[in-house]
Amino acid sequence: MESGPAIFAGAAFTLFGAALLLWTGVRARQGEPVALGVAPRAAVALTTLFGACFLLLGIWCFGRL
């Protein structure tokens, strides 16, 4: 019964984390700002950190099945 919410949460976290990492990589490679009004290095570092955290959280949710 609890596998349904775990699958949904795992999919949502994994997709969001992967998309955030992909978007950050593309923006940084093109030299575009990742976040407006934030230092470029800090923005890349924080979005990479949070993207990796969301990706790992999604993998953890799948591991709990």
Side-chain angles (χ1 to χ4, degrees):
M1 188 68 163
E2 292 189 19
S3 64
I7 291 171
F8 177 76
F13 285 133
T14 303
L15 287 174
F16 180 73
L20 186 60
L21 288 173
L22 179 68
W23 181 79
T24 301
V26 169
R27 296 289 287 189
R29 185 175 298 132
Q30 292 177 351
E32 299 284 332
V34 176
L36 295 176
V38 181
R41 287 185 181 167
V44 169
L46 285 175
T47 55
T48 301
L49 175 71
F50 280 106
C53 286
F54 278 112
L55 191 60
L56 289 173
L57 184 61
I59 292 169
W60 179 79
C61 285
F62 284 132
R64 301 291 294 171
L65 295 175

